[in-house]
């Protein structure tokens, strides 16, 4: 198990930027995939971006070109740089770690951080 703690959320005006961080309780070097998800009020949790152990990234169409995901296997952290924020980006943002092993898949979530974008 790995504990994940998000930080960096807050209130920002449309067009502004925020940087979210996800700190892990232990080494993430063997974590296969780390990702950011978000959940807006009344909506299902959705995938925002992922980054693999080799550095490959994926972005949802809604954030492509505006958000950038990164991971630091030395500091055991993952970040999400969010630029050109829109009111529709308002949500609770969660980080997730996925580790594959012979015994199965281990998934861990953080507690979330609120991002509010005002128009």
């Amino acid at each position: 198990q790995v504990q994940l703690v998000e930080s960096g959320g807050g209130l920002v005006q449309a067009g502004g930027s925020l940087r979210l961080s996800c700190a892990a309780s232990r080494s993430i070097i063997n974590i296969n995939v780390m990702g950011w998800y978000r959940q807006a009020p009344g909506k299902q949790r959705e995938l925002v971006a992922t980054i693999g152990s080799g550095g490959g990234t994926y972005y949802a169409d809604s954030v492509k070109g505006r958000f950038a995901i990164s991971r630091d296997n030395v500091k055991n952290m993952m970040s999400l740089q969010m630029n050109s924020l829109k009111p529709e980006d308002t949500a609770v943002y969660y980080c997730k770690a996925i580790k594959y092993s012979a015994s199965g898949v281990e998934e861990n979530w953080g507690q979330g951080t609120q991002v509010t974008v005002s128009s």
Side-chain angles (χ1 to χ4, degrees):
Q1 293 279 335
V2 56
Q3 280 73 50
L4 303 171
V5 179
E6 302 95 334
S7 61
L11 173 64
V12 64
Q13 287 189 329
S17 298
L18 281 175
R19 185 176 181 85
L20 304 183
S21 295
C22 174
S25 61
R26 62 168 178 79
S27 174
I28 64 170
I29 197 168
N30 291 322
I31 300 295
N32 299 91
V33 180
M34 296 197 72
W36 288 98
Y37 292 71
R38 67 186 181 187
Q39 186 166 19
K43 294 188 177 182
Q44 288 189 327
R45 191 172 297 189
E46 64 175 1
L47 174 64
V48 175
T50 63
I51 184 165
S53 55
T57 58
Y58 166 85
Y59 296 94
D61 287 343
S62 59
V63 306
K64 205 170 290 183
R66 300 188 297 123
F67 290 11
I69 189 171
S70 60
R71 65 189 282 174
D72 187 329
N73 291 339
V74 175
K75 295 181 178 179
N76 300 326
M77 293 190 68
M78 175 180 64
S79 297
L80 184 69
Q81 178 66 42
M82 306 187 295
N83 300 324
S84 303
L85 283 162
K86 305 175 181 180
E88 50 264 43
D89 294 319
T90 295
V92 178
Y93 284 70
Y94 299 88
C95 67
K96 181 179 182 180
I98 304 173
K99 184 176 183 301
Y100 303 107
S101 69
S103 58
V105 180
E106 177 183 308
E107 299 183 348
N108 292 279
W109 291 90
Q111 83 290 348
T113 186
Q114 176 71 47
V115 171
T116 303
V117 184
S118 63
S119 57

